[in-house]
């Protein structure tokens, strides 16, 4: 048994052993969502073997656990103060409990499952304080911090919006306000692993009075200008993280058509979190039809007309017309790109 009172033990090794048993399960459970969104686009994270996370997420979890432990040890020595200069009440409450006689008979491992729970009004106040100060407080900016740290590690900008708005090398880019706004949007969409970061949102397009075709051309010009102005920034922030080829030639009509086709397919296939269930179900069916079209495009056997007939309840003739329209969009957008969107569209909520 490792009593909770050991969290306040003078020996750091004994204290950390009890702290790990009590805090680690709850902290890892709370950190999982932000780390998956920041690093894995909401998909599974796992080591090549075993049941652990990937090396990067394991390292982040270890760092968070150690930071939380140091925060507790520092608070036991001197309770931290709020901005108003008052002691943090939850830390004082937790410290008093760990030094109490009750904590000597409480097993750290036995209380760990209760710490993982959402909490309720009937639970002890010290347990709510531990959850707030040692689990949730260290994670309050985890998703944004992880994206920024990973971007910097691969050579991208820590504050790309600041660089694009203020750096001397970016001065030519600021001559086109719409293009500048698009570039900032693209960088942050790439960091969030959005399936189609080059789709121009309607609110941005309407704010600058652009049609879909004009918006596509302006984005192409902005990306081309950025590549010319700072190839290193372009490679680190746009090209390498997603391994896709953005439009580069502002006069390339096909680049504009491709962007428009990708925007159309994204709207057609992507399920939003707040979307009524019948709409979401229909989009999932469109994804099945689109996946069948992509399968034909890469040389596999598939019958998208049969899928549309069966799952959408269409007669063969209208099902064939729908599939032909989808096939044209897929061919313009790119088979590989469309296949990725169809596979991961449920995580691409925007």
């Amino acid at each position: 048994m490792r009593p909770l009172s050991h969290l306040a033990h003078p020996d750091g090794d004994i204290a950390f052993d009890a702290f790990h048993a009590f805090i680690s399960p709850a902290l890892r459970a709370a950190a999982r969502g932000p780390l998956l969104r920041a690093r894995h686009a909401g998909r599974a994270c796992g080591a090549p073997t075993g049941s652990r996370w990937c090396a990067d997420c394991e390292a982040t979890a270890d760092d968070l656990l150690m930071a939380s432990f140091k925060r507790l040890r520092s608070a036991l020595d001197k309770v931290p103060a709020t901005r108003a200069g008052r002691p943090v009440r939850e830390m004082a409450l937790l410290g008093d409990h760990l030094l109490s006689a009750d904590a000597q008979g409480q097993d750290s491992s036995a209380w760990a499952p209760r710490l993982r729970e959402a909490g309720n009004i009937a639970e002890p106040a010290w347990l709510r304080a531990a959850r707030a100060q040692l689990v949730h407080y260290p994670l309050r900016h985890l998703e944004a911090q992880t994206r920024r740290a990973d971007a910097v590690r691969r050579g991208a900008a820590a504050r790309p919006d600041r660089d694009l708005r203020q750096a001397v090398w970016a001065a030519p880019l600021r001559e086109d306000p719409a293009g500048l706004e698009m570039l900032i949007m693209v960088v942050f969409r790439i960091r969030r692993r959005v399936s189609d970061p080059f789709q121009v949102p309607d609110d941005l397009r309407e704010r600058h009075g652009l049609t879909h075709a004009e918006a596509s051309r302006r984005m192409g010009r902005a990306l081309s200008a950025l590549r010319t102005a700072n190839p290193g920034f372009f490679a680190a922030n746009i090209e390498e993280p997603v391994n896709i080829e953005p439009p580069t030639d502002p006069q390339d009509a096909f680049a504009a058509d491709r962007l428009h086709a990708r925007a159309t397919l994204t709207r057609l296939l992507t399920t939003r979190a707040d979307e009524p269930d019948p709409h979401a179900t229909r989009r999932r069916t469109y994804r099945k039809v689109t996946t069948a079209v992509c399968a034909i495009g890469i040389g596999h056997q598939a019958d998208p007309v049969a899928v549309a007939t069966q799952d959408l309840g269409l007669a063969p003739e209208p099902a064939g017309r729908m599939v032909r329209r989808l096939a044209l969009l897929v061919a313009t957008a790119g088979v590989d790109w469309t296949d990725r969107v169809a596979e991961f569209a449920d995580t691409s909520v925007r």
Side-chain angles (χ1 to χ4, degrees):
M1 172 178 168
R2 288 160 290 196
L4 283 173
S5 60
H6 277 187
L7 271 72
H9 198 284
D11 188 315
D13 291 338
I14 294 175
F16 185 76
D17 188 41
F19 180 89
H20 187 281
F22 179 49
I23 298 294
S24 181
L27 187 142
R28 289 176 66 91
R32 182 177 181 273
L35 289 176
L36 289 183
R37 291 191 296 273
R39 284 205 173 107
H40 304 289
R43 297 188 292 276
C45 164
T49 58
S51 58
R52 305 291 286 178
W53 295 346
C54 71
D56 288 339
C57 289
E58 286 290 350
T60 300
D62 290 344
D63 290 344
L64 289 167
L65 189 68
M66 185 56 66
S68 184
F69 177 66
K70 290 179 179 178
R71 175 176 169 77
L72 173 64
R73 300 294 280 182
S74 176
L76 291 172
D77 182 55
K78 181 181 179 181
V79 177
T82 65
R83 291 182 179 179
R86 300 187 184 91
V88 176
R89 185 183 61 84
E90 290 174 325
M91 272 300 198
L93 178 65
L94 178 59
D96 289 343
H97 179 76
L98 295 179
L99 296 171
S100 70
D102 289 343
Q104 296 177 15
Q106 293 171 330
D107 185 1
S108 300
S109 298
W111 279 87
R114 294 189 61 181
L115 188 68
R116 285 190 60 171
E117 297 171 358
N120 57 73
I121 196 169
E123 70 181 5
W126 66 264
L127 186 64
R128 288 198 301 275
R131 185 184 296 113
Q133 293 295 320
L134 302 180
V135 177
H136 293 308
Y137 183 86
L139 307 184
R140 63 199 187 283
H141 304 305
L142 177 60
E143 187 172 342
Q145 289 172 343
T146 300
R147 285 199 177 104
R148 179 177 296 183
D150 288 356
V152 171
R153 185 174 56 183
R154 66 171 182 259
R159 290 284 306 277
D161 55 331
R162 180 185 59 194
D163 291 356
L164 290 169
R165 293 187 189 280
Q166 299 179 12
V168 174
W169 62 263
L173 307 176
R174 295 193 285 272
E175 296 175 2
D176 178 6
L180 177 65
E181 195 172 347
M182 291 177 189
L183 290 176
I184 293 171
M185 174 205 71
V186 166
V187 171
F188 283 109
R189 280 183 163 187
I190 286 172
R191 290 194 181 184
R192 294 197 306 271
R193 304 296 197 271
V194 171
S195 60
D196 185 5
F198 303 111
Q199 177 194 355
V200 181
D202 288 339
D203 60 338
L204 190 158
R205 181 180 56 77
E206 292 168 0
R207 186 161 57 250
H208 294 279
L210 304 173
T211 65
H212 286 287
E214 289 169 340
S216 298
R217 285 193 291 271
R218 291 280 279 276
M219 177 174 284
R221 284 199 296 268
L223 289 165
S224 180
L226 175 59
R227 196 201 298 261
T228 299
N230 193 329
F233 183 99
F234 184 93
N237 291 279
I238 292 180
E239 213 165 32
E240 293 179 1
V242 290
N243 193 29
I244 58 179
E245 179 63 26
T248 56
D249 184 353
Q251 304 303 321
D252 183 358
F254 180 72
D257 291 343
R258 181 176 57 205
L259 279 174
H260 184 64
R262 290 182 175 184
T264 301
L265 284 168
T266 299
R267 287 193 297 270
L268 185 65
L269 303 178
T270 300
T271 302
R272 297 179 182 274
D274 59 350
E275 196 165 41
D277 184 69
H279 292 176
T281 300
R282 191 172 184 86
R283 290 184 191 277
R284 283 193 290 272
T285 301
Y286 274 121
R287 287 198 290 274
K288 290 175 64 176
V289 178
T290 304
T291 299
V293 171
C294 292
I296 293 176
I298 57 178
H300 293 165
Q301 291 292 327
D303 190 347
V305 174
V307 176
T309 301
Q310 178 178 342
D311 289 35
L312 289 172
L314 298 174
E317 186 175 345
R321 287 197 298 269
M322 189 195 80
V323 168
R324 285 193 293 274
R325 288 195 296 270
L326 274 177
L328 180 60
L329 286 171
V330 169
T332 306
V335 175
D336 291 340
W337 178 90
T338 306
D339 198 39
R340 290 201 307 272
V341 172
E343 182 179 0
F344 300 121
D346 278 322
T347 67
S348 305
V349 178
R350 295 198 290 278

